[in-house]
Amino acid sequence: MLVDSPPEPSAETAPAPPTRRAIRAAGLFVSLALLVLVALASIAIGAKELSLEQVWHGLFEDSGTYGDVVVGERLSRTVLGLLVGAALGLSGAVLQALTRNPLADPGLLGINAGASAAVVTAITFFGVTSLSGYVWFAFAGAAVVGALVYFLGGSRGATPVRLALAGTAISAALYGYLQAVMITDEAALSKMRFWTVGSLASATNTTIEQVLPFLVVGTVLALALARPLNAMAMGDDTARALGAHLNRTRGLSMAAATVLCGAATAACGPIVFVGLMVPHVVRSFTGPDLRWILPYATVLSPVLLLGADVIGRMVARPAELQVGIVTAILGGPVFIFLVRRRRTAQL
C-alpha cells in the first residue's frame, strides 16, 4: 500500500527568512536586555560587599546604612554611567560620520582638551574646588573649543580633514597649557589628578541634574542627524543631489558632539576609548547605516562603561580602580587590533 509523501513546500508556503531589519531590531532588543543586566550588576556590586538581600533592603526598605550605600552612592553612579556612556558613544559615532574616519573619537576635535583646560583654569585661577563648579567650567571649555574648531576648520567651507587638523592642533596647544599649569601649581596638580583619570565615583543627584538637560538635547539632535549624515557619507556631490544641506549638517553635528562630550566630560572627567570602540564595533554588524549605528551606540556604550566600572570596583577591593583606567586598559589592545585590521584590509 502506497502512502502519499507530504508535499514539498513551495516558495509560497516556505517561511520567509528574517529580514536584515528584523535581525537588527532583535539585536537592539538583546542589547537593551544586556544593558539592564549590567545596570543591575552596577547597583548590586561595589567596593563594599553587600548581599543581594541587603541591596534589596537598601533600595526599597532601608534608609540607613544600606540605603546610603545603595541609593546614595551606587544608584546615582549607575544613572550617571548610563547617561555618560550613551553620550560618549553617540558623540563618537557622530564624529566618525562627520570626519569619515572610523577611528575618530571625541578627543579628535579637541573637546576633551577644552574641558580639561577649563577645569585646570578654574582650579588654579578661580579657586574652584567642588565638582558642581567643575561642571560648568568644563562644559564651557568644551563648547568654546568646539566652536573654535568649527571656525578654524573653515566654518561654512569646513571639510572632514580641516576639522580633524584644527582639532589636533588645538588639542596639542591645550595639553601643553595643561601640563605647564599643573607642573607650576602643586595644588592644581593634586586636585586635578583624580578628575583627569575619569571616574564615576563622585556621582551625585546634583551632578545628574546639572548635565541631564544638555545630554537630552544632544541625544535628540544626534539621533535626528542620522539621515543627513548617511547622505554625506556618499560624498558631498551625492549628498547635495539628495537634498542634504552640508554646512548645516556639519554645524549641527559639531554642536551635538560638543554638547554630548562636553557634558559627559564635565560630569566625570575625560574617559577615553568608549566613543571610539563602541561605534566601530557596532558598525561591523549593523553596516554603515547611522539610523542603526546611533541607537546601538546609545545602548551599548553604557554597557561598556558600567561594565568597566564594575570591574574596577571588584579588582581592587576594598579600594577601587577608576573607570577611566579600566577603559584605557581594555581600549588600548582593541584600538591596536582595529588599526591593524584596517591596515590589512587596505593592503
Side-chain angles (χ1 to χ4, degrees), residues 147-174:
L148 185 59
V149 167
Y150 185 65
F151 174 76
L152 293 179
S155 188
R156 291 185 176 274
T159 63
V161 174
R162 287 180 179 179
L163 290 173
L165 289 175
T168 302
I170 291 175
S171 293
L174 289 177

Side-chain angles (χ1 to χ4, degrees), residues 43-68:
I43 295 173
I45 300 172
K48 180 180 178 61
E49 294 191 44
L50 296 177
S51 67
L52 292 179
E53 182 181 359
Q54 291 170 333
V55 171
W56 179 269
H57 280 293
L59 275 175
F60 301 107
E61 300 175 13
D62 182 19
S63 60
T65 304
Y66 298 148
D68 291 341

Side-chain angles (χ1 to χ4, degrees), residues 84-274:
V84 167
L88 292 175
L90 263 180
S91 61
V94 168
L95 289 177
Q96 288 175 12
L98 176 65
T99 60
R100 298 174 194 166
N101 179 0
L103 297 180
D105 75 333
L108 180 67
L109 298 186
I111 297 173
N112 285 345
S116 299
V119 171
V120 167
T121 301
I123 292 172
T124 304
F125 300 106
F126 298 102
V128 178
T129 58
S130 66
L131 182 62
S132 59
Y134 296 165
V135 167
W136 297 108
F137 277 92
F139 184 77
V144 168
V145 169
L148 185 59
V149 167
Y150 185 65
F151 174 76
L152 293 179
S155 188
R156 291 185 176 274
T159 63
V161 174
R162 287 180 179 179
L163 290 173
L165 289 175
T168 302
I170 291 175
S171 293
L174 289 177
Y175 279 123
Y177 164 77
L178 249 170
Q179 295 300 319
V181 172
M182 291 172 67
I183 288 174
T184 56
D185 188 338
E186 292 185 4
L189 176 61
S190 176
K191 294 173 183 176
M192 278 292 296
R193 187 179 294 121
F194 182 80
W195 188 84
T196 53
V197 169
S199 172
L200 297 173
S202 298
T204 62
N205 291 334
T206 302
T207 304
I208 294 171
E209 291 168 1
Q210 288 176 330
V211 300
L212 182 59
F214 300 105
L215 295 178
V216 170
V217 170
T219 298
V220 172
L221 180 57
L223 293 174
L225 290 169
R227 288 184 181 274
L229 285 173
N230 273 343
M232 287 179 58
M234 294 183 283
D236 290 357
D237 294 335
T238 303
R240 289 192 189 95
L242 293 173
H245 300 275
L246 301 185
N247 294 329
R248 184 175 68 186
T249 301
R250 288 185 179 124
L252 291 176
S253 298
M254 279 292 301
T258 299
V259 170
L260 287 169
C261 185
T265 304
C268 54
I271 296 177
V272 297
F273 287 118
V274 175

